Structure formats: structure tokens, C-alpha cells
Amino acid sequence: MLAQAGIDAKEREASDKLQKLILKELHHRIKNTLATVSAIASQSLRNVPGAEHAQHAIEGRLLALGRAHDLLLQARWSSADLGKIVRGATEAFDNPDAPKFLIAGPDVRMTSGAVIAIAMTLNELCTNTTKFGALSVPTGRVEIAWTLDPKTPDQKPQRLHLTWSERNGPAVQVPEKRSFGTRLIETLGKQLKGDVHLTYEPAGFVYALDVPLASLTSSPAQ
């Protein structure tokens, strides 16, 4: 096949090696940039009264970006599986001896832009639940599940439905105002052309994302 395409096997191998080298260098530069931004934010907020929460929040979001880029490097910046993204985003907040996350859903290969949006959303949800939600108490658990609409004869565009459900946590109270984190996850959902619903049910907080599958698996039109 390579011969028919006019491509020498050795040239193809050299090209692949060069691509891997470029991707690793790009990843290295991105991680250095994130570390620099984190240091700047830390230094800038160090002497600001009451800024500790903001400092930790910024550092957490930058770490989430870094983890997303790690997954993208493993996939050579082409795509990554949704299940792997979910497990990677929740790993730092889980307890391997007593798992607190129940994760289930079909295989979905996502583009790099969707990977970052989903990873950042999950980081916000994980951070919030460990502070105020189900995972702020030992008995709390989180269920993360996603499904795909069945394919229909009329070729109606498929949609993905992802739900984050908290259980066995403290009593849920509707916040008096929308936080930056809430606005962020709503914005990230809109970037994927999806609908985001936040429900403060007595049994536990629920985040639901309803998004066209094409927004996750296809690159935006230029």
C-alpha cells in the first residue's frame, strides 16, 4: 500500500518519528507555560488578603489542564476515549481502597478540544463535591454515566447524555448566587454546543450534559 501511494516505508517511519518528537516538544512547552502561569498567579495573589481560595482554584484548574494534555499526548493529540478522560480526571479525588466513583458508559473517541472541555468540567465538579458535596463526607459517592441515542433510520444526529449524580452526601442547598465554577462548566458545555442542567435535588446534586455527538468527535469547521 505504501508503494502504491508512492511513499517509501523508511520515509514513513522517519516522518512518524519526527511527528512524535514535535508532539513531545509541544507538550513540554505547554506544560512549562502552565507551570509559569501557576507561579505568576501564586506570586500575584500571595499578599492579597483573602485570596487563598482563588489561588488554590487557579492552581487546580491549571493542574486539570495539564492532566488533559497528558492524555492527549498519549493519544498523539488526535483523540482520546471518554472513559479514560473521566477516570483520569477523577483519579486524584478517588480512594483506591474504597472507590467513591461509579463510572459507566460506551466507548466514545473525542477530539482534543472536547477532551479539554470535559476534563475541565470534571475538575470543577470534583473540586466542588470534595468541598461542599457528597465527597465531603466519608459515605458520599458519585455516579458518572453516559449514554448515546440509538441510531435511527432517518439519520437523526446522535446525542450523548452524560450525568454526574451525587449520593449519600450532606443535605443539598441551592446556592444563593452562581459561582465562577458554575459559570465555567456552563460555558464549557456551550462550547460543545450542548445543554447543561444543574439540579439541586434533596438526594444529591446532579449535573447533566446533553450534547451532539458530532461536537465531541468532529473537529470544528474552519
Side-chain angles (χ1 to χ4, degrees):
M1 292 179 64
L2 289 171
Q4 291 176 357
I7 302 175
D8 182 81
K10 291 184 177 180
E11 292 180 358
R12 178 64 179 270
E13 183 180 359
S15 177
D16 287 344
K17 288 182 178 179
L18 178 60
Q19 184 184 45
K20 290 179 181 179
L21 180 63
I22 292 173
L23 288 175
K24 287 183 178 179
E25 178 62 22
L26 174 63
H27 181 70
H28 178 69
R29 290 177 182 270
I30 289 173
K31 295 298 286 286
N32 281 346
T33 299
L34 292 175
T36 300
V37 172
S38 179
I40 292 173
S42 178
Q43 291 292 335
S44 300
L45 297 174
R46 175 168 296 178
N47 296 320
V48 178
E52 292 85 359
H53 175 71
Q55 181 177 341
H56 291 312
I58 292 172
E59 290 174 351
R61 287 165 183 140
L62 291 174
L63 286 173
L65 272 175
R67 287 194 295 269
H69 282 288
D70 287 338
L71 291 170
L72 286 172
L73 179 63
Q74 295 173 18
R76 296 183 64 178
W77 272 86
S78 56
S79 63
D81 180 65
L82 176 56
K84 193 169 185 178
I85 299 304
V86 173
R87 291 178 177 84
T90 58
E91 182 179 11
F93 300 88
D94 205 358
N95 181 354
D97 297 326
K100 296 181 176 296
F101 292 91
L102 178 61
I103 300 170
D107 293 340
V108 178
R109 302 294 300 183
M110 302 193 306
T111 60
S112 58
V115 166
I116 292 174
I118 294 296
M120 291 296 294
T121 295
L122 290 170
N123 179 74
E124 290 298 319
L125 293 171
C126 286
T127 300
N128 188 71
T129 192
T130 55
K131 290 182 177 180
F132 314 109
L135 299 191
S136 65
V137 297
T139 57
R141 297 292 183 270
V142 176
E143 297 178 5
I144 307 174
W146 60 95
T147 60
L148 292 172
D149 286 340
K151 293 184 178 180
T152 57
D154 59 1
Q155 298 299 315
K156 184 178 180 181
Q158 276 189 292
R159 298 184 72 86
L160 179 139
H161 310 277
L162 184 147
T163 305
W164 163 291
S165 305
E166 300 185 19
R167 296 289 181 264
N168 302 330
V172 176
Q173 296 181 347
V174 180
E176 297 180 356
K177 61 180 181 179
R178 294 168 65 249
S179 65
F180 174 81
T182 298
R183 295 194 297 271
L184 177 61
I185 62 177
E186 290 176 339
T187 299
L188 291 169
K190 291 179 181 177
Q191 287 181 359
L192 298 175
K193 300 180 181 179
D195 298 318
V196 173
H197 299 281
L198 308 179
T199 308
Y200 299 89
E201 299 180 354
F205 169 76
V206 176
Y207 160 89
L209 173 66
D210 182 355
V211 60
L213 181 60
S215 295
L216 303 176
T217 60
S218 302
S219 299
Q222 298 296 323

